[in-house]
Amino acid sequence: GGGVVAGEAGGGNKVLDDPDFSFIKALQTAQQNFVVTDPSLPDNPIVYATQGFLSLTGYTLDQVLGRNCRFLQGPDTDPRAVEKIRKAIEEGSDMSVCLLNYRVDGTTFWNQFFIAALRDAGGGITNYVGVQCKVSDKYAANVCRRQEEADRRAARGDKGEDNDDGDGGGDYDDDGDD
């Protein structure tokens, strides 16, 4: 009882299963910036957002609930990064990518974004969790360069041997100085 409950179009509510609910609680405890979306609703809208997400982006809860996360994109957001996110959602796979996002006031921040599918007991996707981590310009430059190299290798059909998952390995800018 008492957890993240997402409204459902057909009436009734679905409560996230225990393992996934524990994941949400862990993120809350870690004070992560994240949103939960509901892919059963049109355009996979945000149904939950943490205060950290609101503080990071400058939006209010009323401004984000019911909207797709793409409002964080802007003119300089790399469309290839956006396509990777779209593809991961389409495939129901977890992934991480670094991209430039925009706050409500138009200022930008580099976001090491992680998305994970939350599943019910039958393996069906009930929600997605999107975790935002503001990173330094230097970190983003390194990660973006590696992402571009991996994209070029993939385009050539070269698997490469570095097995880099693109997470950058560290340098998160969570010192709160914005």
Side-chain angles (χ1 to χ4, degrees), residues 5-51:
V5 178
E8 208 168 354
N13 288 314
K14 53 187 177 190
V15 179
L16 298 181
D17 279 350
D18 282 351
D20 286 336
F21 179 67
S22 299
F23 177 61
I24 300 274
K25 289 306 289 181
L27 285 173
Q28 287 171 327
T29 303
Q31 297 181 330
Q32 288 292 335
N33 309 322
F34 71 94
V35 296
V36 177
T37 67
D38 186 345
S40 74
L41 298 174
D43 207 26
N44 194 19
I46 294 170
V47 293
Y48 177 85
T50 62
Q51 187 55 54

Side-chain angles (χ1 to χ4, degrees), residues 61-134:
L61 195 57
D62 288 347
Q63 290 173 308
V64 303
L65 288 180
R67 292 178 74 188
N68 182 285
C69 290
R70 75 175 65 85
F71 64 83
L72 294 174
Q73 298 166 23
D76 292 323
T77 303
D78 184 346
R80 290 171 305 189
V82 174
E83 176 60 19
K84 286 178 185 173
I85 295 167
R86 192 196 61 72
K87 193 171 177 192
I89 290 170
E90 195 177 274
E91 295 171 353
S93 57
D94 300 352
M95 63 85 67
S96 182
V97 67
C98 189
L99 76 165
L100 192 68
N101 277 163
Y102 288 73
R103 295 182 182 92
V104 69
D105 64 4
T107 59
T108 60
F109 65 98
W110 284 103
N111 179 7
Q112 181 66 50
F113 178 71
F114 172 74
I115 188 163
L118 302 183
R119 298 176 185 274
D120 61 21
I125 296 171
T126 57
N127 297 88
Y128 284 95
V129 174
V131 182
Q132 295 78 21
C133 188
K134 180 180 170 286

